[in-house]
Each structure stands twice: as C-alpha cells, then as structure tokens.
Amino acid sequence: MKTFCGRANPSTGALDWVEESEEYDYHQEIARSCYADMLHDHDRNKKYYQGIRAAVARVKARGEKVVILDIGTGTGLLSMMAVTAGADFCYAVEVFKPMAEAAQCIVEKNGFSEKIKIINKHSTDVTVGPDGDMQMKANVLITELFDTELIGEGALPSYEHAHQNLVQEGCEAVPHRATVYARLVESELLWSWAQLQPVEVEGARLAPPPAVAHCAGAHAVCDIQLSQVSPHSFTPLGPLCTMFSVDFSKPVSSAFQSHSSQFVAQSDGRAQVVLSWWDLDMDPSGSIVCTMAPSWTYPQPKMAPWRDHWMQSVYFLPVESRVTEGEELSLTVCHDDYSLWYSLQSLSQQDLPSEAPPSRPCCTCQAHLVWTRPRFGELNDRRRTESYVSALRSVLREDSVCLGVSDGSLLPVFAHMIGAKKVYSLENSRMSKQVIEQVLEANSMKGGVELLEIRPKQLTSNDLGGEQISVLMGEPYFSTSLLPWHSLFFWYCRTALAGLLQPRATILPCSATLHMVAVEFQDLWRIRAPCGTCEGFDVTPMDEMVQRSLDFRESREAEPHPLWEYPCRALTQATAVMTFDFTQCVPQQPISSQGSLPFIRIGRCHGVALWMEYHLTDDITVSAGLIGPISEQGECEWSRHRKQGVYFFGSPCESSGDGRAAVSYSFTFEPSLGDIKMGFSV
C-alpha cells in the first residue's frame, strides 16, 4: 500500500508530497539501526559470554534450574549463549517487531526453539503465571539496555519493573554491576562547543550576550568518540573519579539520585568540562570487565576495542569556574530515570548539606536551542571567521546594501561592523531572530541589522525600504541540512531573490564544489558489514533483514557522518566532481558529471566520502570537509563542524595502489528535486 507523505525538502525549502510505501519508516529504522556494529563488537560479546557462563554455573551450583530473562534480546544472541552455557529455558523480550521476527528466525536456525521463547513486547508489559508470557519468574537476568550515557534507553525503569515483577529475589544478573567514572578538565576545544566566545572583527570585539554567557546550556549529553579527542587538547584538573555504581542483581530505583566525589585539584585552571564513561562488571567479583574508556587510557591505545553503539560522554558544567592547585573540590552527578548532569563545588565554599542538589541544566538564553554543539564550534572557529571577514572586507563598500541568508548567522553582524550602509538578515525562526537580537544589543548595535522573519519567496522591495541588494551573503548554514548538498538551499534562495538584486550584485559565496575521495575506514565499515557468524552462532537472518531494508532505498543513498570521529585513509586523490555557480540562478535542466579516480594507495576501499567547499571569493575558500592536505600515507583531517556524506559500497574492494584500478563515478543534480543522484563502480 502506498501513502502520500509531506516532507520539507532541505535543498529547495519546498514541501514535497512524496509517494512512499507504508513500510518506508520501518525500513529506514532498520537500515539506520547499525545492529551489525554491536555484533561486530567482539570484546562486548566475549565479556557477555564469560559473564553468562559464570552466572549459569553459580545457579546450577545451588541445585536450581536456570531460567533466564533476556530483556532487549535483539538477535537473541545472549539467550543462545545462555542455553549453550547450560540454561534450562530463556524468555527473550524484544519490543521492536522486525527485530523480534529476526530473532525468532535466528533461534530456529540455530536449533534453540525448544529452549528460547521470543516475546515481542516491552518488558514492562510482560506477564508471569500459568497463562502469562512467562510461566515462572527468572533467576538469571540478562540485559543489554544501555546507551552512551548508560541509562538513556530507560535501563533503570526496566530493571526496576523486572525486579518487582519478573525475576526472583536474589537473582543473578549479567552484567552484575555498572560503574560511572568522570574527570574534570579544562579544554578550549570542548568548551567552544558549549559557549559563544568573543570575536575580533576589524579591531573591534564582538562579545557574547550576558544571557548566553551565563546560561547553563543544553541539558542533553554530548556523545562522541572521545578516543579521537587528543589528550593534548585538554588539561585534567583532577583524578578520574568513581561517581556511582548500580548493582543489577538487586532492586533498582529509577528515582532521582545524586552522588558526589571529593578530590584535590591537580593544577590551576578553568573548570569547564566533565569527561565521563562507564564499565560493566559481568560478574560479582569484578574479574570480567567491559569498559567504555577511551583508547588513550589504555597502555596500548591501538588495543582498545572500537564501538559506535556505546561511546563516551562530554558534559559541560553550568558555569565556568577558576580552580587552584591543591583546592578541595566536590564533583556531583545527578540523574533521573533517563539522563545525568554534573555540577562542581569548592569545599571551602560548599553550600550547606541540607540544600537541594542542583537541578538539571536548562537553556534560558535560547542560543543552545538554536545552535547545535558543532555549530557553536563553527561560530567559535577563529580561522573560519577570519576567512569570512576577509571576504566581506574585499566586497563591501560604504553604499553596500547587504542581505544575509543563513540560520542564526553572525555574518550580517560582521557586515555591519565592517561598515556596510544597510544590512538585512532573513531568519528562519522567531527564536533564531531573538538570539541575533541579543548579540546586537549586547554589543550596542541594536538596529544595526534588520532581522526579517520572512521566507525568501515572500520578501518584497518594501521590506528592504525600496533598496536593491548589492551583496547577498550566506555561510551557507541551515539547521535543516543533513547532507552536504542540502546547503544548496542558499542557491534556491538566491534564485527566489533574483528580482531584488542589483544587476551586478555580489553573491558570497560565489560558488560551491562537491568533492569526493575513495576511502578505507579504520572502523566505521563495521556498521554496514554483514556479520554472518557471531561467536559461533549463525545470525544471517539479521544480515538479510538489514540488507532488505538497505535495498529498499538506503543503499542507493549517502548518509551523514562526522568523519573527524571516524578515521579513514584516502585511497585516491580528492577531487571536485560538481560545481554550482551561485552567481547564476538554479538551472532548469539537470547538471551531470562523470569520471574516474585511480587508486593510488594499497588498501581496502569501503566507499567514498563527500563534502562541499564554498568559494567565498575567487581566492578565499572554506571547506566543510577536508581541512588540510592528505598525508603521504593517506591520512585525512576533517572539519569538526559539519557532517560529511558517506556512500558505502555493497562490499569492499581491494586496491593495489598502482593506478590500474579506479573508482568510476556519475553524479546528476536534479534542480526540481534539489537532490543529487550518484552511482559508483570499481
């Protein structure tokens, strides 16, 4: 059955009515789920298997039958491990129907149907009794309910319900315990993702509004591959602190809790950021440990396991504060049923113990709701700002009438500071408009930029006071953009505004180029690689389910990834494959490009990376992808501010590096769709 879906097109800005199968959302969820990443995590699988064997052995040693409850079974892998270890029966609960069906196929394929029952429900809906989903309560509880923040997927409420309703008192649990660790650091890099920094423009200082500077920020965790953040980019101010542990073999509470760790500051600095991760003890003795610690904590960093389903957490303190070496500090973590937050107190100034613990941070300035964390980093990038200021300086005159088209951009403010006669800015939302108003007011520039909450097609000469635009500018940045070419919305805006432009108006950027390079990923390939056999169990039904969903559409499309977090090697040269001329209106006919890139390095090609470069003027370019030359070995340095596009090949291909093999490509930009169709072959 087909259905019409209304979707905002990020490139054209139009509301497109698209005919989709009723299974579209279902297939997309499976295709983007990255189940294979977990199955490829051998360290996780091995530690779970060891913990399960030990738990089953402990119950058998007591002379009891082993009844397993596996919550969030996924493929049924952990249940099959339990039966293989000697469990008498397993109740495997999986709420996502396609996954439950795949688990049923996998269990049957591996010959465990008589000992594993798949229950397609949320665990809180499972019943126990003669007519229930479970005949009896379990005495071993196995779960994999965790996310990067440990509790963000509802682990605590699920455990709480299970202990009250589904498992016996004194049950064994795998994992047995989780422990959360944290470290207080100063980091200019990480703090730039949380707060707007002062900007120097033409010798003048653009300061952040007080409301932004004093705002506690967004409450959501920043989850990243912390292994890719160099230890040189932060200064530890204290030791690694053990914040709290949860024993899963005992009743668990999902109620609000707070825990503090006291320590002495190791150096002078600005307390800004808390780095956090957790460990799982798979057995009561703590001899089987699965840790999420970043690679630079390992004696041999290259031996650290890679995983994308569990990363590390960065928390930004509500306020930056000075600490002195030797000062006694108390780091407090609070959590509700789904999230954590941190605060810091000096013990010499600590509030009375009876005072309530700090509430969850909440943005009051609106900037943290308008700007994402990478966007804060982009706005704080001094080199990038210098490029835009230099470009504006080269095109602005005293009589320039400027119009900015980007979301929550400081470009119009820069244009006013440089001396444009009149500056207008189109803002996509009331909130975005209010944030820029705060910036102007904080710097005594109120009215210096006229902010218009109008879509480009609706703008008239009256809105511009009868003036014609001499400089149309954009970064371009739009909050709706996911893939690199979605920023071509700027081109559609330029086209809609053509009647309001002076005959020789300057367009900045004047053009953009789409670039590509064929790459070998160090680890990211795992999220798309079929698993086949996992720890001795055949999981091909899951591979087939994912592939069917990929073939539905996703395998023919690129997907966004922040490649600075996912190291890769370039196996070809990087090259521009399409050019978009913003000085002209969007053409009515498709633009096509084809060619080939020879392999110049030995390696395994997993796909291609794609990004945009914006040519502000003839000699100033800003890249949203590679920000430096590719090394002789093929190592790449990527922008931290934007996501790049990744097109994964169905199966990797070997490169001999002698130039005899090449990646052939074809790109077609469809103006009516605002999309780029692409194809590759080796």
Side-chain angles (χ1 to χ4, degrees), residues 338-415:
Y338 280 92
S339 59
L340 284 70
W341 59 94
Y342 283 83
S343 61
L344 181 73
Q345 299 86 31
S346 172
L347 289 180
S348 58
Q349 306 164 354
Q350 194 169 11
D351 298 328
L352 294 174
S354 59
E355 192 159 313
S359 58
R360 186 212 300 261
C362 178
C363 175
T364 55
C365 71
Q366 299 185 325
H368 299 91
L369 306 178
V370 169
W371 294 327
T372 63
R373 290 183 174 113
R375 179 62 171 157
F376 266 99
E378 189 166 56
L379 294 171
N380 288 324
D381 185 333
R382 295 186 188 94
R383 287 178 58 186
R384 186 177 179 278
T385 295
E386 287 169 6
S387 295
Y388 279 99
V389 170
S390 296
L392 283 171
R393 190 191 305 117
S394 70
V395 301
L396 290 181
R397 301 191 304 271
E398 289 183 1
D399 61 347
S400 292
V401 177
C402 305
L403 176 65
V405 181
S406 279
D407 290 351
S409 174
L410 297 178
L411 232 57
V413 183
F414 298 160

Side-chain angles (χ1 to χ4, degrees), residues 35-42 44-45 75 77 525-544 546:
Y35 285 113
D37 170 38
M38 296 188 356
L39 295 180
H40 282 293
D41 187 350
H42 177 66
R44 178 201 83 124
N45 301 340
T75 58
L77 176 67
W525 59 270
R526 300 173 199 270
I527 69 171
R528 285 287 167 268
C531 194
T533 301
C534 180
E535 309 306 323
F537 301 100
D538 186 345
V539 294
T540 51
M542 190 219 64
D543 292 336
E544 292 162 1
V546 172

Side-chain angles (χ1 to χ4, degrees), residues 567-590:
C568 60
R569 287 178 58 244
L571 300 181
T572 66
Q573 291 181 335
T575 189
V577 293
M578 294 196 89
T579 299
F580 310 97
D581 184 0
F582 296 156
T583 65
Q584 305 297 317
C585 290
V586 175
Q588 295 190 355
Q589 299 302 315

